[in-house]
Amino acid sequence: MKSNRRKFIKRSAIGAFAGMTGLTADARGRKERDPDQQEEALDRILAEPVLRLDELKDPVWMETIELLRNGDNFICRVRSKEGAEGLSVSNNMQMKHLYPIFVNRIQPFFIGKDARNWESLLDEVYVYQSNYKLQNLAFWVPLATLEFAILDLLGKLTGKSMGALLGDTIYHPEIAVYQANNYRGKSAEESIDLIEKHVRETEARALKFKVGGRMSHNRDYPPGRTEALIPLVRERFGPEMVIYADSNGSYTPEEAIRIGKIMEAYAYDFYEEPVPFDWYEETLEVTKAVRIPVAGGEQEPSMHGFRWLIKEDALDIVQPDIFYFGGMVRSMKVAKMAAFKGKPCTPHISGSGLGYLYMMHFVSAVANAGPYHEFKGFNQEIPLYSPTSSLSSEGGKVTVPTGPGLGVTLDPDFVANHQVVAG
């Protein structure tokens, strides 16, 4: 079961990419055998435009860009010169610390620009006021917040969903979810009961739980929890449950390999961030040493970093976080590079705001999407309405909203209770 699952993941991604590009198996094989051709192909992918905006013949001048705040909730509102409007809800856990970067380093650059040129503007704002010095969550979360509002605006103007703006085909109108759990600090016995409770609530057919101690240099939290919990999860849920484990960079390579071998014995389906996220060579070392697929990329801020991880096969599964990595456009380029190498994309998503909705729209357009996607629960504090989706997990699947932009309507009174954030 272990090796078959890994081979299936890789085969399914290759097949999806073949359908998306028309490449034959022989052509793919030649490219994969020749390092120079691989690099050329990856660079072509990075140069290709993502957004599909052929319907928009006239400029979409961004007349106003506002960041609105109510407590720790942040909304971005973009209005065009012609009066069209797009809204987004930020990653509020991060934005409450980062909003000055949005107001002072991002907002001024984009006012008066044509929203149709978003992809080229991404390169320009990176250099504006030396913003590249801020590369990481500090810059990418505020930028993603703006991008999602712009995609909502462009979607309303074109009549397309966010996903349809990213590609010609909607591959996944429904998203099968995995239930993410985090009970570090509790014993294995306490953890397994809580994991089961949340999995049953969503009827998810896949789950992910935490191992190790989070960037802890091999310390477990509490001691002995990981080695007790790995078999418990498999025994509790049985052979059909898809199980992922996330160490959040807890281990040195030697310990990561040892823990990975335990997971192999219980037929786990992927192993996330076995070593610290910026240990590229060590990630590759672990990936080569274990049979379980290795996933990562949640913390990766650099497109060139992802290019290396993908080209060198340091990761079996790529996990850009569409907030942490600066939006759907950048993340789609990562997904396409991964597809070229026969790897699935299973994006990470943070738990606050409307991240789960943005993730679903992104995944809907990813040909090589993994079979299950992260779910941490619906945000019941943000009132909204969707005529095309219950926005609930039914049989472990969530329907992606259709309709223009985000496909949901935020309660106007809720938006009106927010105040404009000044510079």
Side-chain angles (χ1 to χ4, degrees), residues 286-307:
V286 176
T287 300
K288 287 180 175 179
V290 299
R291 293 193 304 273
I292 180 173
V294 171
E298 165 190 349
Q299 312 291 347
E300 179 55 52
S302 164
M303 189 71 75
H304 198 75
F306 261 121
R307 182 181 179 277

Side-chain angles (χ1 to χ4, degrees), residues 157-175:
L157 291 173
T158 60
K160 292 181 174 181
S161 70
M162 286 184 170
L165 290 172
L166 301 173
D168 296 323
T169 303
I170 295 297
Y171 294 96
H172 309 288
E174 292 182 321
I175 307 298

Side-chain angles (χ1 to χ4, degrees), residues 214-417:
R214 185 184 294 272
M215 301 289 283
S216 62
H217 200 74
N218 298 336
R219 290 190 298 275
D220 209 1
Y221 184 49
R225 174 180 180 272
T226 291
E227 289 182 65
L229 190 54
I230 289 171
L232 270 180
V233 174
R234 177 57 74 198
E235 290 163 10
R236 179 71 62 93
F237 290 98
E240 298 306 314
M241 178 64 77
V242 173
I243 301 176
Y244 307 143
D246 181 5
S247 94
N248 294 112
S250 291
Y251 305 122
T252 61
E254 296 78 13
E255 181 68 359
I257 291 167
R258 188 183 74 82
I259 295 295
K261 296 292 185 183
I262 299 173
M263 291 181 196
E264 287 177 6
Y266 292 94
Y268 275 42
D269 293 86
F270 76 54
Y271 183 11
E272 183 174 339
E273 278 191 358
V275 297
F277 64 90
D278 54 353
W279 290 18
Y280 291 176
E281 292 87 354
E282 292 85 350
T283 298
L284 177 57
E285 179 183 347
V286 176
T287 300
K288 287 180 175 179
V290 299
R291 293 193 304 273
I292 180 173
V294 171
E298 165 190 349
Q299 312 291 347
E300 179 55 52
S302 164
M303 189 71 75
H304 198 75
F306 261 121
R307 182 181 179 277
W308 188 94
L309 290 163
I310 291 167
K311 180 175 71 72
E312 299 297 330
D313 295 316
L315 296 173
D316 295 309
I317 300 165
V318 298
Q319 296 179 292
D321 183 300
I322 57 175
F323 264 112
Y324 296 172
F325 194 62
M328 298 188 199
V329 169
R330 282 169 47 83
S331 297
M332 184 60 76
K333 291 178 182 288
V334 172
K336 289 183 176 182
M337 286 194 292
F340 172 76
K341 291 281 287 181
K343 303 174 188 294
C345 177
T346 302
H348 177 270
I349 190 61
S350 316
S352 71
L354 297 182
Y356 67 94
L357 278 178
Y358 299 126
M359 179 273 288
M360 289 196 296
H361 278 288
F362 174 72
V363 169
S364 73
V366 174
N368 56 314
Y372 298 95
H373 295 275
E374 187 157 23
F375 180 77
K376 295 177 178 175
F378 296 103
N379 191 327
Q380 304 296 335
E381 298 177 358
I382 299 176
L384 50 80
Y385 167 70
S386 171
T388 59
S389 173
S390 67
L391 301 181
S392 62
S393 174
E394 299 170 0
K397 294 183 177 181
V398 183
T399 299
V400 181
T402 57
L406 185 58
V408 307
T409 300
L410 291 175
D411 183 339
D413 292 335
F414 174 75
V415 177
N417 286 333

Side-chain angles (χ1 to χ4, degrees), residues 41-264:
L42 293 174
D43 287 340
R44 282 198 300 273
I45 290 168
L46 292 177
E48 291 171 355
V50 171
L51 295 177
R52 305 300 200 265
L53 301 173
D54 292 342
E55 297 90 342
L56 296 177
K57 307 301 182 184
D58 298 319
V60 182
W61 304 114
M62 291 181 277
E63 185 167 53
T64 62
I65 296 172
E66 298 170 304
L67 188 65
L68 313 176
R69 181 175 188 175
N70 183 3
D72 286 339
N73 193 75
F74 291 84
I75 294 173
C76 177
R77 181 168 62 200
V78 179
R79 287 179 172 145
S80 74
K81 187 176 180 180
E82 301 301 322
E85 180 180 280
L87 296 172
S88 74
V89 177
S90 186
N91 180 313
N92 296 315
M93 291 187 296
Q94 302 298 334
M95 190 61 108
K96 65 184 179 181
H97 305 294
L98 302 176
Y99 67 87
I101 293 174
F102 182 101
V103 173
N104 297 311
R105 305 290 284 271
I106 291 175
Q107 180 181 1
F109 172 81
F110 284 98
I111 292 175
K113 301 290 198 306
D114 183 353
R116 298 178 306 166
N117 296 331
W118 176 255
E119 293 187 60
S120 61
L121 293 172
L122 284 175
D123 293 331
E124 294 178 31
V125 74
Y126 186 58
V127 179
Y128 174 73
Q129 292 189 5
S130 298
N131 280 330
Y132 58 85
K133 296 180 184 292
L134 300 174
Q135 176 173 241
N136 218 307
L137 276 87
F139 183 64
W140 295 129
V141 168
L143 188 63
T145 300
L146 176 58
E147 179 178 285
F148 299 156
I150 288 174
L151 292 181
D152 188 46
L153 168 70
L154 294 174
K156 291 171 180 174
L157 291 173
T158 60
K160 292 181 174 181
S161 70
M162 286 184 170
L165 290 172
L166 301 173
D168 296 323
T169 303
I170 295 297
Y171 294 96
H172 309 288
E174 292 182 321
I175 307 298
V177 300
Y178 71 77
Q179 177 66 50
N181 303 273
N182 180 11
Y183 300 113
R184 285 195 181 103
K186 298 183 182 297
S187 70
E189 292 73 22
E190 290 177 289
S191 297
I192 189 65
D193 290 338
L194 290 166
I195 291 169
E196 182 176 25
K197 176 180 182 292
H198 286 98
V199 169
R200 300 308 180 203
E201 287 173 355
T202 58
E203 301 179 312
R205 298 176 185 176
L207 66 90
K208 185 175 79 175
F209 69 97
K210 302 291 189 178
V211 296
R214 185 184 294 272
M215 301 289 283
S216 62
H217 200 74
N218 298 336
R219 290 190 298 275
D220 209 1
Y221 184 49
R225 174 180 180 272
T226 291
E227 289 182 65
L229 190 54
I230 289 171
L232 270 180
V233 174
R234 177 57 74 198
E235 290 163 10
R236 179 71 62 93
F237 290 98
E240 298 306 314
M241 178 64 77
V242 173
I243 301 176
Y244 307 143
D246 181 5
S247 94
N248 294 112
S250 291
Y251 305 122
T252 61
E254 296 78 13
E255 181 68 359
I257 291 167
R258 188 183 74 82
I259 295 295
K261 296 292 185 183
I262 299 173
M263 291 181 196
E264 287 177 6

